[in-house]
Amino acid sequence: MSETTIQLTPVQQKFILHWGEMGTKWGINRTVAQIHALLYIWPESINAEQITKVLSVARSNVSTSIKELQSWGLVKNVHVMGDRRDHFETLEDVWEMFRIVMDERKRREVDPTLILLRDCMEEQKKSGKRDKHTEGRLEALQEFFESAADSYERLRSVPTATLRRIAKMGDKVLKLLKAA
Amino acid sequence: MSETTIQLTPVQQKFILHWGEMGTKWGINRTVAQIHALLYIWPESINAEQITKVLSVARSNVSTSIKELQSWGLVKNVHVMGDRRDHFETLEDVWEMFRIVMDERKRREVDPTLILLRDCMEEQKKSGKRDKHTEGRLEALQEFFESAADSYERLRSVPTATLRRIAKMGDKVLKLLKAA
DNA sequence: GAAAAATTTCAGCTTTTTTTGAAATGACTG
DNA sequence: CAGTCATTTCAAAAAAAGCTGAAATTTTTC
């Protein structure tokens, strides 16, 4: 089987290592983030063995990490003619990529928090001795999360092209909003 | 010394435990997040020993975690008359709290990434063999981060009251922007 | 300025997370 | 369907992160 051995340039290495560190700071496994970085900068799809070599990690680790990335919807399988191994690639569009991450984090972390807050509020309200202070604090938090989730949901439906355009509008955005 | 022993209600416990878990998913130490949650819901300032008791952690752990929270600007010392121990409290306003977290994360994580990307681009450009593809990918990422950082910087200067108001505008926001 | 109180530091221990490699499973080929 | 190649699973090892308690340091009090 013909096999392209991946050889990283210093710049590529630097980027992949940094992305890995970034990942750890955001609760994402270092290897997972590195694989994502590698797929992001590599021009063609890559197979699992190539990843093991270039990142010096075990084959099984690649398997698990890829699954993780797939569960986020960030990596998809592609097939190369005449090669029965799985090849992988990630999204091209950075905005789209971040949107997916945001979506998933909302689903996995914000939504459960909202449910918890609602639960707490309910439990609080039907409890005998009303703890007004805690109730107030939780309510404030709930309002914040609900407002944020709501605003995000709205933003979500806007095509990335429009988002880019709005981002480029600069100061005009706020002026418009303040005027309204 | 008079000492209020903190006794948590089930709802308070539930909230603090959840906040701790949330923390871990965002790369924040569980104890740090729990202390923050406790300070958030508690009506008065709390001293370190009270925290050790209510969260069942070592005094030294409280010390370290409080320092961490202080380094984020989320906790401040207050002094209680006739008590020489440090007492702690966190911010009241949730929007303000999240703004601070965002600010810090930008400073600690986004800004260094931007620097790295600029470095990479530069190194890439003066390198002998131009790797056009990597260059393109890094440029796209850089543009995204710069645009995001820029938009954030703009938003940052808006008072939280205005942010609340904008968030409450709902669909109107996008209609306005699309029209512009 | 010595004693007491409060806080911080840090080496070593514990727990959790991550990684590995061997074995099991699955998938394709002739 | 037997053999090969590819992927996944999972128990154990390694690494990283987190926590503790004793000792050191700092702060306050008298």
Side-chain angles (χ1 to χ4, degrees):
Chain A
M1 171 55 50
S2 80
E3 185 69 13
T4 317
T5 303
I6 291 183
Q7 183 55 260
L8 296 179
T9 67
V11 165
Q12 291 174 322
Q13 289 199 357
K14 200 167 165 180
F15 170 68
I16 290 171
L17 292 176
H18 179 88
W19 206 243
E21 290 317 306
M22 280 283 288
T24 61
K25 298 201 179 169
W26 286 82
I28 289 152
N29 178 289
R30 181 179 280 114
T31 306
V32 170
Q34 285 183 351
I35 292 177
H36 179 242
L38 172 61
L39 293 174
Y40 177 73
I41 53 168
W42 206 252
E44 299 138 28
S45 67
I46 311 182
N47 66 44
E49 214 199 312
Q50 288 172 308
I51 297 174
T52 66
K53 280 185 187 152
V54 74
L55 298 183
S56 308
V57 289
R59 179 64 184 77
S60 53
N61 195 356
V62 172
S63 184
T64 319
S65 301
I66 287 280
K67 268 185 97 183
E68 173 72 9
L69 284 166
Q70 282 172 331
S71 86
W72 283 76
L74 286 173
V75 161
K76 60 171 186 245
N77 278 29
V78 282
H79 291 289
V80 170
M81 278 295 272
D83 188 347
R84 63 205 241 195
R85 290 168 297 183
D86 288 338
H87 285 238
F88 309 100
E89 60 183 34
T90 187
L91 307 180
E92 289 272 310
D93 188 286
V94 188
W95 285 74
E96 188 58 29
M97 216 162 78
F98 275 79
R99 188 212 293 268
I100 286 178
V101 173
M102 285 291 106
D103 277 6
E104 279 296 308
R105 295 212 97 145
K106 176 177 177 294
R107 196 176 66 72
R108 298 174 185 208
E109 292 140 21
V110 176
D111 292 351
T113 297
L114 271 171
I115 289 170
L116 174 107
L117 288 171
R118 274 178 212 132
D119 276 9
C120 284
M121 290 300 286
E122 215 173 302
E123 204 170 322
Q124 187 61 253
K125 272 172 185 156
K126 73 178 164 211
S127 119
K129 51 170 188 338
R130 293 283 285 271
D131 171 355
K132 278 292 177 193
H133 188 267
T134 301
E135 208 171 311
R137 301 324 340 260
L138 294 185
E139 196 170 10
L141 204 54
Q142 189 182 19
E143 263 170 32
F144 173 82
F145 270 103
E146 258 159 12
S147 182
D150 187 66
S151 297
Y152 177 70
E153 216 53 60
R154 246 180 269 283
L155 219 59
R156 229 188 76 77
S157 64
V158 181
T160 51
T162 311
L163 288 180
R164 274 177 219 269
R165 201 168 56 75
I166 293 174
K168 287 225 176 72
M169 284 168 64
D171 285 333
K172 280 169 82 179
V173 176
L174 277 173
K175 278 183 189 151
L176 263 167
L177 292 176
K178 278 181 183 159
Chain B
M1 170 55 49
S2 80
E3 183 69 12
T4 317
T5 303
I6 292 182
Q7 184 55 261
L8 297 178
T9 68
V11 164
Q12 292 175 322
Q13 288 200 356
K14 200 167 165 179
F15 170 67
I16 291 171
L17 291 176
H18 179 88
W19 206 244
E21 291 316 307
M22 279 284 287
T24 61
K25 297 201 179 169
W26 286 82
I28 289 153
N29 177 288
R30 180 179 284 113
T31 306
V32 170
Q34 286 182 351
I35 292 177
H36 179 241
L38 172 62
L39 294 175
Y40 177 72
I41 52 168
W42 206 250
E44 299 137 28
S45 66
I46 311 182
N47 67 44
E49 215 198 311
Q50 289 173 307
I51 298 175
T52 65
K53 279 185 188 152
V54 73
L55 299 183
S56 309
V57 289
R59 179 65 184 76
S60 54
N61 193 356
V62 172
S63 184
T64 318
S65 299
I66 287 279
K67 268 186 97 182
E68 173 73 9
L69 284 166
Q70 281 172 332
S71 86
W72 282 78
L74 286 174
V75 161
K76 60 172 185 246
N77 279 28
V78 282
H79 291 289
V80 171
M81 279 295 272
D83 188 346
R84 64 207 241 191
R85 290 167 298 183
D86 287 339
H87 285 238
F88 308 101
E89 60 183 36
T90 187
L91 306 181
E92 289 272 309
D93 189 285
V94 189
W95 286 73
E96 189 57 28
M97 215 161 79
F98 274 80
R99 189 212 292 268
I100 286 178
V101 172
M102 286 290 106
D103 276 8
E104 278 298 308
R105 295 213 97 142
K106 174 177 177 295
R107 197 176 65 73
R108 298 174 184 208
E109 291 140 23
V110 175
D111 292 353
T113 298
L114 271 170
I115 289 170
L116 174 108
L117 288 171
R118 276 178 211 133
D119 276 9
C120 282
M121 291 300 286
E122 215 174 300
E123 204 171 322
Q124 187 62 249
K125 271 170 184 156
K126 73 177 165 212
S127 116
K129 51 174 189 331
R130 293 284 287 271
D131 171 355
K132 279 292 177 193
H133 188 267
T134 299
E135 209 171 310
R137 301 322 343 257
L138 294 184
E139 196 169 10
L141 204 54
Q142 189 181 18
E143 265 169 31
F144 173 82
F145 271 102
E146 260 161 11
S147 182
D150 186 66
S151 297
Y152 177 69
E153 216 54 59
R154 242 181 273 282
L155 219 58
R156 229 188 77 76
S157 64
V158 181
T160 50
T162 312
L163 287 181
R164 275 176 220 268
R165 201 169 55 77
I166 292 174
K168 288 226 174 70
M169 283 169 63
D171 284 333
K172 281 168 82 180
V173 176
L174 277 172
K175 278 182 189 153
L176 263 167
L177 292 174
K178 277 182 183 157

